[in-house]
Amino acid sequence: MYQGKEGQYAKIIGTGGYLPEKILTNADIEKIVDTNDEWIVERTGIKQRHIAGENESTCDMAEHAARQALEMAQCQPEDIDLIILATTTPDRIYPSTACLLQERLGCIGAPAFDVQAVCSGFVYALTIAEKFIKTGSAKRALVVGAETYSRILDWKDRGTCVLFGDGAGAVVLEASAEPGIFSTHLHADGRHKDILTVGGQVNQGEIVGSGFTVMNGTEVFKFAVTQLSKVVKEALAENNMQADEIDWFIPHQANMRIISATAKKLHFPMEKVVTTVSEHGNTSAASVPLALNIAVRDGRVKKGQTLLLEAIGGGFTWGAVLLKF
Ligand code: UT7
């Protein structure tokens, strides 16, 4: 394993994203469950979501996003010495999707593992990768969030199936004397395990319990707004920063109402908030890197700007990362 200098910053040098071709609009969902475009847009801001093709896997999407990020970073797969992949919907129970991705990319030998923190997965994975780089244990890390979330949705439950979508986002991090990630902040509270869960398990070759997402939307909503505001304040305080020093706020894309309520509490004007939820729905671990990648590629996020990323998901897990891009 690479043994470099300690105390280096982890700097994002490439981003990538992938969305499956198939789009499911609210009008399409009206044909599946008793819902309507007006309700979905008013309560969530979501207009459409992408859905993985029948033969398209989490690893397929992760590979597209990873290759794009590697290209922007001008890196070859063999330059990568760590792969962390965040997903709730792995291709297999094991090996990890990170190992499947490693084989596809050809960075054989680099440690590769999955992180399961549901919608906070990318923020967790980014945090772990940053620690590897900071301690000199990795020089270049590939961090991916990828989900085929549509496969763990009950398409008869209008309370959940309208909310989620599929996709993948990725970043390449490199050890650098220049900042870099300034600070990371992770939290979890397992007492809230039942308000957002897929409760089933595989036993003797069968799923015992539910294989579908079950959610208490109202509880999740309240918990999300409270904890996200707290963790963002924690990140700002740690860096002696005010909200107006952040160039772009890139929140988890679960629901427009959660995003705007959090931004309002924190005094971030909506012009400084990157939102993709209307087009992507909630892509779980892929939502933050996908939003980052879109804002980088359309020119909003520029080199040297200060970004604040946050996410919250089942567990409950939540976290924030404050960085210079
Ligand atoms: O990463 C975290 C992932 N999860 C989330 O971010 C979800 C957080 N929660 C939410 O975003 C909101 O709670 C929802 C969007 C899920 C629901 O909005 P709400 O304003 O909390 O609605 P509600 O659950 O209180 O339901 C209000 C009504 C109910 O009907 P009644 O009992 O008042 O007659 C629901 O049955 O809306 C009904 N409803 C729907 N109607 C049309 C629930 N889902 C739908 C639907 N279409 N898709």
Side-chain angles (χ1 to χ4, degrees), residues 120-170:
S120 314
F122 179 77
V123 167
Y124 265 64
L126 192 62
T127 297
I128 299 164
E130 189 247 358
K131 307 308 170 210
F132 268 79
I133 288 175
K134 218 173 175 173
T135 55
S137 304
K139 189 173 179 189
R140 272 184 220 96
L142 173 66
V143 183
V144 186
E147 301 279 14
T148 41
Y149 205 94
S150 59
R151 301 207 175 125
I152 52 167
L153 289 173
D154 179 353
W155 289 92
K156 292 190 192 79
D157 176 14
R158 67 178 183 171
T160 54
C161 74
V162 301
L163 303 175
F164 295 89
D166 300 333

Side-chain angles (χ1 to χ4, degrees), residues 29 33-40 42-46 118-120 149 157-164 195-196 213 215-222 224 228 252-258 282-284 287 311-314 316-317:
I29 293 202
V33 284
D34 178 17
T35 189
N36 56 78
D37 178 58
E38 199 189 343
W39 190 97
I40 303 172
E42 193 189 302
R43 308 281 175 132
T44 72
I46 299 167
V118 202
C119 300
S120 314
Y149 205 94
D157 176 14
R158 67 178 183 171
T160 54
C161 74
V162 301
L163 303 175
F164 295 89
I195 62 172
L196 180 55
T213 297
M215 180 179 74
N216 179 332
T218 314
E219 289 302 314
V220 169
F221 192 99
K222 282 192 285 190
L228 288 173
H252 173 45
Q253 308 289 318
N255 179 315
M256 202 58 202
R257 279 160 62 220
I258 296 180
N282 179 352
T283 56
S284 185
S287 97
I312 189 157
F316 251 72
T317 57

